[in-house]
Amino acid sequence: MHVLILGGTAEARRLAGLLSGLPGVRTTSSLAGRVAAPRMPPGEVRVGGFGGAEGMAVWLREQRVDALIDATHPFAGTISFHAARAAADTHVPLLALRRPGWVAGPGDDWHPVGSLEEAATALPALGNRIFLTTGRMGLAAFAGLTEQWFLVRSVDPPEAPCPPRMEVLLARGPFTPEGERELIARHRVDVLVTKDSGGEATAPKLAAARAAGVPVVVVRRPPVPAGVHVVTTPDEAAAWVRAAA
């Protein structure tokens, strides 16, 4: 049984590890190639795009894929819709693995928005020293904000266009609550911007913002394509594969 995992997340790597020990199961993890030095999962790995839904369908047929698991980042929306279309065209079973989103708790001052552009529009009314943790992609949405100062944290250096007043912090999670609190205090951050990625690796920034009384602009995640079955843990995804094998 050949399983293709659309990966790049910690959950995808964990799933690849779970499946690598199953007899009769071959796994291939597909990475987009947007990170210069990705953490490699167990099993076979391919790097790069497919050429849209049509290209993915061709790959599924040529490689005789029996099951497709979309374990990409919750905000990698385009690839998810390509996967849904390719799976439908090739009649390959499709499962989506999505970590649960974050939920605001007592003391949180969250401002949900639908896009990075909406986040940029909301910032002038909230503060002037912005901790931007949405990654290196999409910084163009904030490039027109000339009065605000940005601390931009990403794994790889961002590319223009970027905010004119910006400091870049290259770092990869997981992060600690103590480190996030120190970072917010040292840079006098008064607004945090994040995507609702979910998971524990980058969640400490939310607790640090709560403790510091800093408002958080949260970009809502895009929906999973209609009709796709969703699980929230690698163990559930592995059980789905075992049931189909």
Side-chain angles (χ1 to χ4, degrees):
M1 180 181 183
H2 188 191
V3 181
L4 174 62
I5 302 172
L6 305 178
T9 61
E11 291 79 14
R13 291 190 295 274
R14 169 65 177 159
L15 175 60
L18 291 173
L19 297 183
S20 65
L22 293 180
V25 175
R26 169 193 172 197
T27 63
T28 301
S29 295
S30 179
L31 307 181
R34 292 180 176 177
V35 177
R39 292 172 176 167
M40 303 302 285
E44 300 175 37
V45 178
R46 69 172 300 278
V47 179
F50 290 93
E54 296 83 359
M56 188 183 298
V58 169
W59 200 93
L60 294 176
R61 292 190 183 99
E62 290 180 346
Q63 300 298 319
R64 299 184 179 181
V65 172
D66 301 293
L68 175 59
I69 300 178
D70 174 13
T72 56
H73 191 277
F75 282 83
T78 300
I79 187 68
S80 295
F81 281 90
H82 287 172
R85 181 176 165 187
D89 289 347
T90 57
H91 305 289
V92 171
L94 170 63
L95 179 75
L97 171 57
R98 290 288 185 274
R99 68 185 75 145
W102 291 316
V103 178
D108 284 321
D109 180 14
W110 286 15
H111 300 258
V113 295
S115 66
L116 293 175
E117 289 74 17
E118 287 185 29
T121 300
L123 287 179
L126 295 174
N128 291 304
R129 297 185 64 83
I130 319 299
F131 186 15
L132 191 58
T133 64
T134 56
R136 68 186 182 93
M137 310 295 289
L139 292 186
F142 305 92
L145 297 177
T146 59
E147 300 298 323
Q148 284 72 29
W149 175 87
F150 289 85
L151 175 64
V152 176
R153 182 164 68 189
S154 65
V155 176
D156 293 318
E159 298 178 357
C162 298
R165 302 179 61 208
M166 178 183 75
E167 179 177 334
V168 176
L169 175 62
L170 299 181
R172 189 200 300 262
F175 302 105
T176 66
E178 296 78 10
E180 299 292 67
R181 287 195 296 268
E182 190 277 333
L183 195 67
I184 287 176
R186 173 160 46 94
H187 291 280
R188 295 178 287 116
V189 167
D190 56 15
V191 186
L192 169 65
V193 181
T194 185
K195 294 177 178 178
D196 181 16
S197 301
E200 299 179 357
T202 58
K205 63 189 173 188
L206 301 173
R210 182 191 312 123
V214 169
V216 183
V217 178
V218 182
V219 182
R220 292 186 292 266
R221 58 174 62 179
V224 173
V228 176
H229 182 59
V230 181
V231 297
T232 59
T233 68
D235 290 307
E236 290 176 289
W240 179 80
V241 172
R242 287 195 297 269

